[in-house]
Amino acid sequence: MDLNTLWFALIAILFVGYFFLEGFDYGVGILLPWLGRSDRERRVLLNTVGPHWDGNEVWLLTAGGAMFAAFPNWYATLFSGFYLALVLMLLALILRGVGFEYRSRDESPRWRNAWDWAIFAGSLLPALLWGVALANLLRGLPIDAQMNYTGNLLTLLNPYGLLGGLFTLLLFTLHGALFLLLKTEGEIRRRAGAAALWSGALATLAAALFAVYSYFASGLFQRPGPVPGLLLLAGLAALLAVRAALGRERAGWAFVFNGLAIIASVAAIFLGLYPHVMISSLNPAWSLTVYNASSSPYTLRVMTIVALTLVPFVLAYQAWSYWVFRRRVDVRERLTY
């Protein structure tokens, strides 16, 4: 494996980690106004993800930094082409982060209710836009010979992109409900179980529709060698396993199966792209690949040494933080957020 392929794989792994961890953050934020029926209950929901949400976003920052350093042409085309969508996502993430930190600083019901809806919107919008972006990467984008994106925001909001957005939105909502099953007790846990059932059914339906649409709108099922479309079907099978695990009241296994569905779906998209990083719908020869979009071999070598040295410490720290805050949260204890 050459360094170009290695760094494409590492960026894919970073996005897989981000969606797996931040996915339940988004889900809890989306479910916040519906599962928390009192201020105390909403604080319980926020405290399940409070110690983790900002650490989870490190995966996104690292993925973006790695993309900038390893594939500057990919970074430039993607961030200039998706500029408005990314600004909307960034504003949503800022709003959500401020909500986590400031919601409980004032006891006014109006103040707290406003931040609850801000956290809801700041979770829903990124969950939707990530799916829109990934589906469009897979489908292909209007990119010219100078590696410039020639479309606009509306170009991204095509039926296939919106279906991809609906899929990730429901998948992350399910992930949040399953996380709450593991982290809460009593009435909130019962409501989270009900949310997991309906969001799981809708996510499975959306996954099936996305797989069928991908067959016609992308090359996911027509590639030679390892067929990434099979990974997408494996993700669909994992979602069916979630329902079976919930039926046997195995919340831990349900969370694991949903995590596998996220991993399989994101891996299918990156495997479906390779060796491209962005596919041109205008002319296949104008597509960006891991070779024409990459940095110099020297830069990639230095990045590899730095990554091998520092990443184990980051992983160890994050694993430790999850171990420290592993207890369930209920309405009787002191709440921070």
Side-chain angles (χ1 to χ4, degrees):
M1 179 186 295
D2 57 34
L3 290 178
N4 303 60
T5 301
L6 173 65
W7 272 99
F8 179 78
L10 289 176
I11 290 171
I13 290 170
L14 288 169
F15 273 107
V16 166
Y18 172 67
F19 290 130
F20 182 91
L21 294 173
E22 191 76 347
F24 61 73
D25 278 8
Y26 290 151
V28 171
I30 292 166
L31 293 170
L32 178 66
W34 320 108
L35 299 191
R37 296 180 181 173
S38 67
D39 176 64
R40 190 74 180 170
E41 288 184 351
R42 292 184 181 185
R43 292 195 70 182
V44 169
L45 295 175
L46 292 175
N47 274 266
T48 61
V49 295
H52 309 298
W53 71 270
D54 45 0
N56 293 340
E57 290 190 353
V58 169
W59 289 74
L60 175 61
L61 297 175
T62 308
M67 186 187 293
F68 172 75
F71 302 102
N73 289 329
W74 182 14
Y75 183 92
T77 303
L78 181 70
F79 278 73
S80 60
F82 290 9
Y83 183 76
L84 283 178
L86 290 172
V87 166
L88 286 174
M89 189 184 296
L90 180 62
L91 291 175
L93 291 175
I94 291 173
L95 190 67
R96 177 170 170 271
V98 174
F100 273 118
E101 298 298 333
Y102 281 85
R103 180 201 181 273
S104 298
R105 302 291 181 183
D106 191 301
E107 293 187 358
S108 163
R110 182 176 295 181
W111 169 273
R112 294 191 172 189
N113 191 51
W115 283 117
D116 288 342
W117 286 106
I119 293 171
F120 167 76
S123 303
L124 184 143
L125 194 59
L128 177 73
L129 290 178
W130 274 119
V132 172
L134 290 174
N136 276 288
L137 284 177
L138 200 57
R139 176 174 175 264
L141 295 154
I143 297 172
D144 64 19
Q146 286 74 44
M147 299 185 180
N148 294 318
Y149 173 74
T150 59
N152 53 42
L153 180 61
L154 293 179
T155 308
L156 304 176
L157 302 180
N158 55 75
Y160 183 63
L162 290 173
L163 179 58
L166 181 63
F167 174 38
T168 53
L169 174 63
L170 292 168
L171 195 61
F172 294 158
T173 303
L174 172 60
H175 210 37
L178 295 172
F179 183 72
L180 290 174
L181 268 176
L182 298 175
K183 292 290 290 182
T184 60
E185 294 179 340
E187 181 62 20
I188 298 178
R189 189 171 189 272
R190 188 192 65 75
R191 289 181 212 141
L197 288 175
W198 66 256
S199 60
L202 292 175
T204 305
L205 176 61
L209 293 174
F210 185 70
V212 172
Y213 205 161
S214 295
Y215 183 85
F216 298 101
S218 73
L220 205 60
F221 289 87
Q222 289 82 36
R223 290 175 58 86
V227 182
L230 293 179
L231 273 176
L232 204 58
L233 296 179
L236 178 59
L239 283 174
L240 294 172
V242 170
R243 179 64 183 85
L246 286 174
R248 291 173 173 77
E249 298 185 351
R250 301 292 182 90
W253 279 111
F255 185 79
V256 169
F257 284 130
N258 195 57
L260 291 175
I262 293 174
I263 293 170
S265 301
V266 179
I269 290 171
F270 275 89
L271 189 59
L273 279 174
Y274 182 79
H276 302 104
V277 293
M278 294 185 81
I279 300 171
S280 172
S281 58
L282 302 178
N283 185 338
W286 296 343
S287 299
L288 280 71
T289 71
V290 295
Y291 299 105
N292 67 12
S294 74
S295 294
S296 68
Y298 175 76
T299 302
L300 295 179
R301 279 198 299 273
V302 172
M303 288 178 62
T304 304
I305 294 170
V306 172
L308 291 175
T309 305
L310 298 181
V311 167
F313 292 100
V314 176
L315 294 177
Y317 173 77
Q318 192 152 36
W320 176 75
S321 72
Y322 273 92
W323 173 255
V324 169
F325 295 101
R326 67 188 181 280
R327 289 179 52 200
R328 290 180 184 269
V329 184
D330 65 36
V331 295
R332 293 166 297 184
E333 63 184 74
R334 181 176 177 273
L335 300 173
T336 306
Y337 291 88

